[in-house]
Amino acid sequence: MSKTKALLVGSGAREHALADALIAGGAELYAYMQLFNPGIKRIAKKYAVGKSDDVAAAVKFAKENSVEIAVIGPEAPLAAGVVDELEKAGIKCVGPTRQLAQLETSKSFTRQLTKKYGIEGSPEFSVFTKENFSQAKQYITKLWGRGGCVIKPDGLTGGKGVKVSGEHLKNAEEALSYCEEILDAHRAVVVEEKLEGEEFSLQTLTDGNGGFLHFPPVQDHKRAFDGDIGSNTGGMGSYSDANFLLPFLTQEDVEEAKKITEKVAAAIKKELGIAYKGVMYGGFMKTAAGIKLLEYNARFGDPEAMNVLPILKTSFVDVCRAAAEGKLAKLNVEFENKATVCKYVVPEGYPDTPKAGKIIVPSVEKDYIKSLVYYANVEEKPDGIYTTKSRAVAFVGVADTIQKAEAIAEEAAAKVQGAVFHRKDIGTWQLVQKRVEHVKRLMGTAGLKLFYRPKGEPMKVAAFMSGTGSIVRKILEFQQHDLFSETKSSMTTGPVAEATWKGQSKNRESFKVVMIFTDTADESICNAKKIAEECKVAYYCNDIKAYYTKLGHNDRKDMKIRQQYDSETAKLLKMHKVDVVALCGYMSIITKPVIGSFLTINVHPADLRAKDSSGRRKYAGCMGSECVEKAIANGDKEIRATTHIVNEEVDSGQLLLVSKPVKLDTNITTHEYQQKLKEEGDWKIYPETLRMLAEGRFAADERGMVYLDGKNIPEGQEAA
Ligand code: AMP
Ligand code: GLY
């Protein structure tokens, strides 16, 4: 089959990514570029250089080469009507006509459209021209008093014309005079309510026939420097996640944004009588009041295109053809479940005082970088690559997680030699967490799912044990202090007093151990029966060794048997209406039937936050004395205990509380030290964890991220 001849207009990194995607999808590439892009040049069959809004030159080049389909990168040629002229020449286009490109070129058009058609998600706004300008002052003052306003010129400004109160505008007077300034150059100015939230980009390809291809959402970073400071830029880098959400977005959020775009497309058709074809790139914001629409662009995002195109599994040529022919609904489009991080390397001084200069760009072949490399605004001279005044090269890491993708992009970006810089923080765990926390702060605890919702009676706990059960005694003792007005003497070794439930403790819900379960019938090893009798708690034993023997299995690692065993245990838990299972020196691996239905927690005699060089928890899987020995061998000066949620892998669940450090003391025996660690570590934080759970203070979101008092605690919380 002969290759599809495709025209690509544009010469940035976004277009380099589009060029790669077109070629990977089976196209023969004809590139019309404003600047020689060395990356595109290398892969194009033919190229021409000319001003990006010189429609006639682009169309001439397309006709000369009999291209079948055209993909337009930037907004300038769209605004100049390149699609109108290409279509007249019989060339199919991915991109809107000049009139439809108003979606981007006129902010007032888009805002008024959403208002007229009752499409939700718009901030409050007003459009002012010279005619009604006398009303602007009152409107700005009103918005200013309510949290601020945003002033937007009604026209293309290369992303630099928007000014936000608090950031670029100090007071209402400044906002007003900025409006005046705008009206000297533009027909209108849009004044709108300032929103607070996290921004994201949803790029959607529409075919004008009711078909939509929504790309995975991406988050761009506009500010020049690490920590979101410095001037606004064209975008310093961006990331997307393997699940096609973003860490601060739920599926519903993304669906909401898709719905808005689909409604806007329908509204355009009603309003103008013609359907929109091409990219509708929505700039959205997740706010406490839901998903809000900031603006549309009529093209792919730069850098956002570089996040979504490399993971497209379907041929991009097929996608473009379907979009141009109104057949997107018939095409099954797939993406790889990969996270991506894009980092832009820019000239020093960018964006305010960029200094052009020679750079050396690392390559996959010579420098063994794993990143994709997309050239942006650079010049290729005989002696090498030179930066211009804009973004220079983009590196894109593609991996299973955002962090891994970040490492790939960062490694490559850091290898560029020359007077350049890039943001090291984009895609890092810290920055992504900051985004998540921002959203959570705005949302309060709304949207979080509590692990346990206080019910006005104690939370019911089942203690699972296999040995001495000293921690069970401690929990019972704590429960006693916590809930009962009268307590008896220290119960570490003796019986826990028979006290009666006096109702809810003063300010909080609390917990009660309602059953003790053991997998060990041997009473010379296991104190479960003794403690249960002393404390008048229901006691159950199902000896694991006997269980396997009965079934004729000696391999105690056989997980099918283990699941069957746990199903029987789960019945007991249900019967006692248990809310939480607390493992207290329980030696069996615990499986789905229990952990899938009951929140199960454990305490570990080491700091589970500590990681080894491959990022794994250093002290996972070791027992008490092993932890101490390993810590000594590692040269640790102190040990902490950690409580955590139990999942199917040993010691890998979400951390809850981390104890204060217990100084390693080599003057005492390991055994004595272990006792000290128990007293200052395990015994303090385990009952405390149960109490905090009972108070409904731990919660998780849809992504399984855990919160304490509404604050995200990815690595647990140090105990008070
Ligand atoms: P726009 O070109 O409309 O996307 O605006 C550029 C940038 O200004 C956006 O990416 C936001 O950071 C900010 N912005 C635009 N509209 C608003 C708004 N209503 N509230 C807060 N920030 C805004
Ligand atoms: N990512 C910003 C833009 O493409 O406009």
Side-chain angles (χ1 to χ4, degrees):
M1 214 174 72
S2 68
K3 290 192 168 178
T4 305
K5 290 181 162 200
L7 170 75
L8 173 66
V9 178
S11 54
R14 165 186 50 206
E15 287 74 25
H16 188 178
L18 285 165
D20 258 5
L22 284 167
I23 288 183
E28 188 169 80
L29 188 69
Y30 293 83
Y32 180 81
M33 304 186 273
Q34 173 148 328
L35 271 181
F36 265 124
N37 180 310
I40 299 177
K41 205 172 97 179
R42 258 171 236 151
I43 54 178
K45 171 88 178 171
K46 255 185 164 175
Y47 55 85
V49 174
K51 282 198 70 116
S52 88
D53 56 0
D54 186 346
V55 169
V59 175
K60 182 166 167 272
F61 176 66
K63 281 205 221 159
E64 274 167 12
N65 293 292
S66 321
V67 304
E68 181 197 326
I69 195 160
V71 179
I72 319 300
E75 61 275 20
L78 295 170
V82 74
V83 169
D84 307 57
E85 296 307 315
L86 286 167
E87 282 183 345
K88 269 188 214 153
I91 297 165
K92 291 173 202 154
C93 289
V94 180
T97 57
R98 182 184 177 150
Q99 187 194 15
L100 291 164
Q102 275 185 88
L103 183 68
E104 171 166 0
T105 57
S106 169
K107 301 217 186 246
S108 64
F109 168 78
T110 305
R111 282 282 182 243
Q112 276 157 345
L113 189 79
T114 55
K115 189 169 182 181
K116 178 166 172 190
Y117 290 88
I119 299 167
E120 62 276 28
S122 284
E124 193 185 307
F125 76 95
S126 217
V127 179
F128 297 101
T129 57
K130 284 208 163 116
E131 285 70 53
N132 67 350
F133 190 67
S134 58
Q135 293 152 35
K137 186 173 179 187
Q138 197 193 355
Y139 190 69
I140 288 174
T141 313
K142 182 180 96 177
L143 290 185
W144 202 278
R146 281 211 226 136
C149 64
V150 180
I151 314 283
K152 302 180 172 185
D154 194 26
L156 283 185
T157 53
K160 303 228 168 82
V162 174
K163 289 198 178 178
V164 180
S165 67
E167 291 179 31
H168 319 94
L169 303 165
K170 280 203 281 301
N171 49 44
E173 287 67 44
E174 267 189 34
L176 193 67
S177 61
Y178 184 52
C179 288
E180 271 181 300
E181 194 185 306
I182 289 173
L183 287 180
D184 285 339
H186 298 268
R187 196 192 61 85
V189 57
V190 179
V191 177
E192 61 188 43
E193 164 198 5
K194 179 184 173 182
L195 301 168
E196 203 202 333
E198 275 299 323
E199 289 179 51
F200 64 98
S201 309
L202 181 72
Q203 304 168 96
T204 301
L205 194 55
T206 73
D207 65 359
N209 190 27
F212 296 92
L213 164 58
H214 300 286
F215 288 85
V218 179
Q219 189 175 40
D220 185 16
H221 297 71
K222 287 212 159 65
R223 299 300 197 106
F225 306 121
D226 278 22
D228 294 321
I229 54 175
S231 304
N232 275 344
T233 69
M236 292 296 290
S238 47
Y239 66 94
S240 67
D241 208 350
N243 58 3
F244 311 149
L245 301 175
L246 288 169
F248 57 87
L249 290 182
T250 64
Q251 188 66 50
E252 292 72 44
D253 292 334
V254 177
E255 294 309 319
E256 182 61 32
K258 290 179 185 172
K259 212 168 74 193
I260 292 173
T261 292
E262 294 184 9
K263 284 187 181 167
V264 169
I268 293 175
K269 188 162 178 207
K270 274 205 190 130
E271 184 67 15
L272 301 177
I274 15 166
Y276 188 99
K277 239 193 230 189
V279 180
M280 293 174 73
Y281 150 8
F284 291 96
M285 191 185 265
K286 174 165 176 151
T287 73
I291 298 299
K292 300 284 180 181
L293 172 67
L294 298 186
E295 63 157 354
Y296 274 108
N297 293 310
R299 50 174 174 81
F300 280 108
D302 186 351
E304 293 94 324
M306 290 179 275
N307 298 92
V308 299
L309 293 171
I311 58 166
L312 178 66
K313 283 207 259 184
T314 313
S315 153
F316 187 54
V317 173
D318 290 349
V319 168
C320 290
R321 192 181 285 114
E325 292 176 355
K327 292 178 183 160
L328 266 182
K330 293 202 189 89
L331 190 69
N332 177 32
V333 180
E334 284 184 298
F335 292 92
E336 270 182 272
N337 279 95
K338 294 280 186 197
T340 67
V341 171
C342 174
K343 297 202 185 205
Y344 252 122
V345 168
V346 303
E348 262 174 22
Y350 175 80
D352 304 318
T353 52
K355 288 187 271 301
K358 190 176 169 187
I359 53 169
I360 299 172
V361 178
S363 74
V364 176
E365 301 79 23
K366 286 199 216 107
D367 303 277
Y368 307 108
I369 57 168
K370 292 191 247 9
S371 159
L372 300 167
V373 183
Y374 297 117
Y375 285 96
N377 298 288
V378 292
E379 271 183 82
E380 195 170 25
K381 294 188 183 171
D383 67 331
I385 304 278
Y386 283 75
T387 59
T388 59
K389 292 192 178 313
S390 196
R391 297 176 290 183
V393 195
F395 295 95
V396 179
V398 179
D400 291 333
T401 64
I402 296 172
Q403 280 69 56
K404 286 183 190 159
E406 190 276 334
I408 294 171
E410 178 59 34
E411 187 210 6
K415 282 192 173 149
V416 177
Q417 294 172 44
V420 288
F421 75 96
H422 70 277
R423 275 185 65 166
K424 293 192 172 58
D425 61 348
I426 292 169
T428 58
W429 184 86
Q430 285 83 346
L431 189 59
V432 173
Q433 280 315 304
K434 206 174 114 187
R435 307 279 184 241
V436 171
E437 274 169 30
H438 180 207
V439 166
K440 290 303 165 191
R441 214 167 45 242
L442 290 174
M443 310 277 289
T445 44
L448 292 183
K449 212 174 93 220
L450 292 175
F451 282 131
Y452 171 79
R453 194 170 292 284
K455 296 172 188 151
E457 58 181 74
M459 177 179 88
K460 295 190 174 67
V461 176
F464 282 32
M465 57 179 277
S466 310
T468 60
S470 59
I471 187 87
V472 181
R473 287 186 191 278
K474 274 293 156 194
I475 289 171
L476 285 160
E477 184 182 340
F478 184 92
Q479 164 190 319
Q480 186 96 339
H481 277 289
D482 198 34
L483 293 179
F484 300 93
S485 50
E486 286 163 47
T487 53
K488 295 208 173 146
S489 58
S490 169
M491 284 147 263
T492 312
T493 50
V496 176
E498 306 140 29
T500 41
W501 165 241
K502 294 270 196 301
Q504 194 180 321
S505 59
K506 265 205 185 97
N507 303 313
R508 52 183 183 245
E509 307 292 338
S510 207
F511 65 88
K512 185 172 186 186
V513 176
V514 294
M515 63 176 271
I516 294 176
F517 177 83
T518 180
D519 59 352
T520 312
D522 185 345
E523 286 174 35
S524 69
I525 304 174
C526 179
N527 284 336
K529 191 168 179 200
K530 203 161 116 211
I531 298 173
E533 276 171 5
E534 281 167 6
C535 305
K536 300 201 164 40
V537 177
Y539 164 76
Y540 297 95
C541 171
N542 191 0
D543 192 87
I544 189 90
K545 268 194 226 154
Y547 193 84
Y548 272 83
T549 313
K550 189 177 76 195
L551 293 167
H553 274 262
N554 290 321
D555 176 14
R556 282 211 270 142
K557 292 211 175 71
D558 185 322
M559 284 301 137
K560 270 213 197 84
I561 306 285
R562 192 67 64 136
Q563 289 196 8
Q564 187 182 322
Y565 175 92
D566 278 349
S567 303
E568 292 178 22
T569 317
K571 281 188 198 140
L572 299 170
L573 298 172
K574 277 200 193 92
M575 196 174 86
H576 283 277
K577 298 198 168 65
V578 163
D579 299 301
V580 176
V581 172
L583 304 186
C584 302
Y586 184 67
M587 301 306 290
S588 292
I589 285 173
I590 194 146
T591 59
K592 258 267 167 56
V594 171
I595 55 179
S597 304
F598 300 89
L599 171 65
T600 304
I601 63 170
N602 197 7
V603 63
H604 192 76
D607 190 345
L608 280 177
R609 294 173 307 182
K611 308 263 168 47
D612 63 19
S613 57
S614 56
R616 274 186 287 267
R617 287 182 183 166
K618 217 178 351 199
Y619 294 110
C622 20
M623 306 288 180
S625 59
E626 282 173 296
C627 284
V628 179
E629 281 151 20
K630 205 166 163 185
I632 293 172
N634 284 339
D636 293 357
K637 298 273 176 295
E638 57 191 35
I639 302 187
R640 296 166 193 257
T642 323
T643 56
H644 64 94
I645 292 175
V646 176
N647 61 16
E648 276 177 294
E649 275 171 71
V650 175
D651 298 336
S652 74
Q654 161 74 39
L655 307 187
L656 298 173
L657 287 191
V658 183
S659 78
K660 289 236 172 307
V662 181
K663 286 232 163 340
L664 257 170
D665 185 350
T666 42
N667 296 322
I668 56 175
T669 64
T670 304
H671 184 76
E672 284 166 338
Y673 177 76
Q674 256 178 277
Q675 184 63 25
K676 196 168 157 208
L677 180 63
K678 274 186 195 163
E679 281 165 18
E680 295 172 33
D682 305 33
W683 293 352
K684 283 221 166 83
I685 59 166
Y686 209 24
E688 194 58 39
T689 302
L690 283 165
R691 187 201 358 228
M692 286 161 102
L693 273 169
E695 289 166 1
R697 293 169 62 187
F698 284 108
D701 62 19
E702 294 86 336
R703 294 159 294 273
M705 263 192 258
V706 172
Y707 297 78
L708 173 58
D709 298 332
K711 180 173 154 267
N712 188 207
I713 49 158
E715 286 288 75
Q717 165 82 33
E718 210 172 299

